[in-house]
Amino acid sequence: MAGDFWEMLNQAQRETVRAAAQVRRFRPGTALMCEGDQDRSVLVLVSGWAKVTTAWPGGHEVVLNVCGPGDIVGETSAMDGAPRSGAVVAVDVVTALALSVERFARIIRAHPDISTIVSRVITGRLRAADARRRQFAELSTPGRIAELLAELAERYGVSTSEGVVVDLRISQQDIAAMTAASRETAARTLRTLREAGVISTARRRLTIHRPDALRTFNA
């Protein structure tokens, strides 16, 4: 599995995490973690996709991020003891390595190298959040959508003869929610990118034929 956290671990570190974890499976639509929850378990996704959401006043759901194979979730609450700041919901069938907060804490104490990697993941997310705030100021809404697709390709894409393929089941509404766009704008932007030959879409699959074009798209 790929993902920032898992890719940073060497083989011995991965075996340490596996030995301390239990395998859990979640059906689509199931909450892996709930916003405001005090349960501070930590999950490392093995397969499948999930979205990180938060509820705005009025019950409106905002999608903050997506996470996939190799990503770690719940580590911040496990480290600082605060309630969860968002919910994590399975988009499709998710398999994860589950660590209790006690076992996670023991790993962090006994393996400073793994603790350093967790800190790097958290720092990376903070920087990504800062970058996204700048995008909201500098890019048009279609530009933000194109930038999101470029980020997904960079994090989770697999290079093929057709282009960079991302097997990810997120809806146009999810894309809209992650970029502060309307669903209509998201649909129109994806259609424009398809017609330009930049991307093609199929069920649960996004293929990016011209990745560089996404970075310069700001229609």
Side-chain angles (χ1 to χ4, degrees):
M1 54 185 175
D4 291 343
F5 174 70
W6 201 252
E7 283 205 334
M8 290 180 188
L9 300 179
N10 61 35
Q11 191 59 38
Q13 293 164 342
R14 292 175 181 177
E15 291 304 321
T16 296
V17 174
R18 283 197 186 101
Q22 294 181 327
V23 177
R24 295 189 62 188
R25 291 179 175 83
F26 303 86
R27 291 181 293 180
T30 303
L32 284 67
M33 299 175 177
C34 297
E35 186 171 5
D37 203 339
Q38 294 284 354
D39 174 19
R40 301 192 304 279
S41 60
V42 177
L43 299 177
V44 181
L45 273 62
V46 176
S47 63
W49 298 87
K51 58 183 178 180
V52 182
T53 69
T54 188
W56 278 16
H60 179 61
E61 180 187 82
V62 176
V63 180
L64 302 175
N65 203 354
V66 295
C67 46
D71 282 332
I72 185 171
V73 293
E75 76 291 339
T76 302
S77 291
M79 295 177 76
D80 66 13
R84 301 197 188 282
S85 58
V88 183
V89 180
V91 175
D92 52 14
V93 176
V94 170
T95 302
L97 301 175
L99 294 160
S100 67
V101 65
E102 293 80 13
R103 290 191 175 189
F104 179 72
R106 283 199 294 268
I107 288 175
I108 293 302
R109 287 195 299 268
H111 301 273
D113 48 350
I114 296 179
S115 178
T116 298
I117 290 171
V118 172
S119 296
R120 287 173 60 190
V121 170
I122 294 172
T123 301
R125 288 178 182 165
L126 292 173
R127 288 177 176 169
D130 286 342
R132 184 157 293 180
R133 282 192 288 270
R134 289 196 300 272
Q135 291 168 14
F136 272 70
E138 298 171 0
L139 298 178
S140 65
T141 303
R144 294 197 300 270
I145 293 171
E147 185 66 25
L148 172 63
L149 299 182
E151 290 175 8
L152 293 175
E154 187 174 297
R155 290 177 62 190
Y156 304 114
V158 176
S159 295
T160 71
S161 58
E162 297 180 355
V164 180
V165 175
V166 182
D167 288 314
L168 174 59
R169 189 170 71 180
I170 59 172
S171 66
Q172 291 181 356
Q173 184 59 50
D174 291 334
I175 292 173
M178 293 177 70
T179 54
S182 67
R183 184 172 181 176
E184 293 74 18
T185 299
R188 185 168 57 250
T189 301
L190 293 173
R191 183 172 61 249
T192 299
L193 291 168
R194 285 195 297 268
E195 291 173 349
V198 177
I199 68 170
S200 58
T201 57
R203 181 177 175 81
R204 295 191 57 184
R205 172 168 292 197
L206 166 71
T207 302
I208 300 172
H209 306 289
R210 295 164 51 201
D212 291 346
L214 287 177
R215 296 293 190 184
T216 58
F217 184 82
N218 195 25

